[in-house]
Amino acid sequence: MTRYILFPLALALSACVGTEPIEPQVASASTDFSDARQVTVELDNFDFSPRELTLTAGEPVELVFTNTSGEAHNFAAPEFFASAMIREGDADLLRNGHVELRGGRSASVFLVPVAGEYEVDCTHLGHSALGMTGSITVQ
């Protein structure tokens, strides 16, 4: 009888996992990131700070991600990262639409965002359910 309960649960969980990899679009070599606005995002135990980011479409930005906890977290925004133009050297930091950070680590991603509303979460098991969610608005 247990397998009848577990199968629908496994099916529902598998529907939440994307099957196609997110390939970042690389910004042209002529994109000037020297005056990029710096925006810091802290990842902590089940929290992002700030939870809501507001960026300007077409304006280069440096997103600085800092994991202030002792455990691994990630900043997952697949649609956001897939639509943005990412600095060539930073594309390798994005794995399937998220930046993964072990505890106490930081990473910067330079990009040019595209207008839209985007959801953010931590994809580690249970982290978004415990409140590790947010949003990005690009105007």
Side-chain angles (χ1 to χ4, degrees), residues 43-139:
L43 292 72
D44 201 352
N45 290 325
F46 315 116
D47 193 24
F48 292 121
S49 181
R51 283 184 179 272
E52 299 174 1
L53 298 177
T54 302
L55 306 174
T56 303
E59 180 182 292
V61 64
E62 175 189 10
L63 295 177
V64 180
F65 301 100
T66 301
N67 183 349
T68 59
S69 79
E71 297 182 27
H73 292 292
N74 64 39
F75 184 90
E79 292 82 13
F80 172 72
F81 289 124
S83 67
M85 300 302 290
I86 312 295
R87 186 174 72 170
E88 184 175 7
D90 298 339
D92 292 340
L93 295 173
L94 301 172
R95 289 192 176 80
N96 214 21
H98 65 268
V99 176
E100 186 72 37
L101 292 172
R102 292 189 313 219
R105 299 290 176 114
S106 294
S108 289
V109 176
F110 287 82
L111 55 82
V112 179
V114 172
E117 299 282 330
Y118 306 96
E119 294 182 13
V120 176
D121 69 344
C122 179
T123 62
H124 290 216
L125 184 62
H127 289 202
S128 62
L130 291 170
M132 205 163 184
T133 62
S135 65
I136 302 171
T137 301
V138 182
Q139 303 169 339

